[in-house]
Structure formats: C-alpha cells, structure tokens
Amino acid sequence: MQKIRVGDTVQVVTGADRGKRGEVLRVEKKAGRMRVVVERINIRKKHQRPVRAGRSNTQAGIIEFEAPIDASNVMLVCPHTNEPTRVGFRIAEDGRKVRVSKKANMDIDK
C-alpha cells in the first residue's frame, strides 16, 4: 500500500517549490524510487520540433509540463487539520488496511 496516491493533496517540503500545494496527478515507481507528478509543481519547458502530419499530431513550440519529483520531497496534507502530516497504517475492524494521519491520529481513507 502506498502512502501517497493519485488524487491526494500534497505539500512540497524541499526544493524550489517548497510550501506549494497541489493534487497528485500520477505516481511512478521505477527501480525502488517512487516519484509523483503534482499539478502546477515542478513546471519544466520543452522545446518541441514539429513532426510531419503523417506520424502524429504533436504541437510545435515551447511546451510546459509538470515533471516528476521524488515522493520524499512531498508530504500528504491531512484532510482533518489541513496541515502536512506523516502517514501511518492500521488494520480497520473490517480487515482493511487504512492510512492514518500521524498529526490528527484519524483515518485518511474512508
């Protein structure tokens, strides 16, 4: 089970975008490193060349996109206290494994 999932609100704790909040758009796992793509965070510019019309319809020019950042650089925002918090786990009464906010000691998952 992951501590950060798609749709969670996170806050950046280190780097150039420190203090900014956004929603997780994508979670990427590669070789043991988890990286997340957060909306409006870590914006990069890519200079794209036009591709012939027969292959694909790619937009030419300068394209801005959200680049992935390491999951250790973001913290989940607790839905109860609206503050960044660490995430723990516990087993619910019905046997499900649920995420728990360490700051509020309340369930994150419904």
Side-chain angles (χ1 to χ4, degrees):
M1 180 173 265
Q2 302 177 47
K3 293 185 177 189
I4 298 175
R5 299 180 187 167
V6 174
D8 286 342
T9 301
V10 294
Q11 181 171 334
V12 180
V13 293
T14 59
D17 292 324
R18 182 170 67 192
K20 293 183 182 178
R21 291 184 180 190
E23 185 179 333
V24 176
L25 302 175
R26 205 168 62 239
V27 177
E28 301 174 354
K29 288 184 178 180
K30 291 183 184 175
R33 297 298 294 181
M34 191 166 89
R35 297 174 69 82
V36 293
V37 176
V38 183
E39 66 176 342
R40 301 183 317 272
I41 304 293
N42 200 21
I43 300 294
R44 300 289 177 222
K45 290 186 178 185
K46 179 179 181 180
H47 296 266
Q48 183 76 33
R49 295 188 96 161
V51 179
R52 287 188 298 188
R55 291 189 175 164
S56 64
N57 297 334
T58 57
Q59 181 74 25
I62 301 173
I63 300 170
E64 290 186 346
F65 64 98
E66 293 102 351
I69 59 175
D70 201 85
S72 64
N73 294 336
V74 297
M75 286 183 80
L76 182 71
V77 175
C78 177
H80 308 290
T81 61
N82 202 24
E83 295 180 5
T85 182
R86 289 177 293 144
V87 178
F89 295 98
R90 73 172 184 82
I91 305 298
E93 292 81 23
D94 59 355
R96 293 182 304 121
K97 189 175 180 182
V98 294
R99 297 184 297 169
V100 177
S101 166
K102 292 286 192 173
K103 189 161 282 200
N105 201 18
M106 297 177 75
D107 291 352
I108 297 170
D109 300 325
K110 301 293 182 228

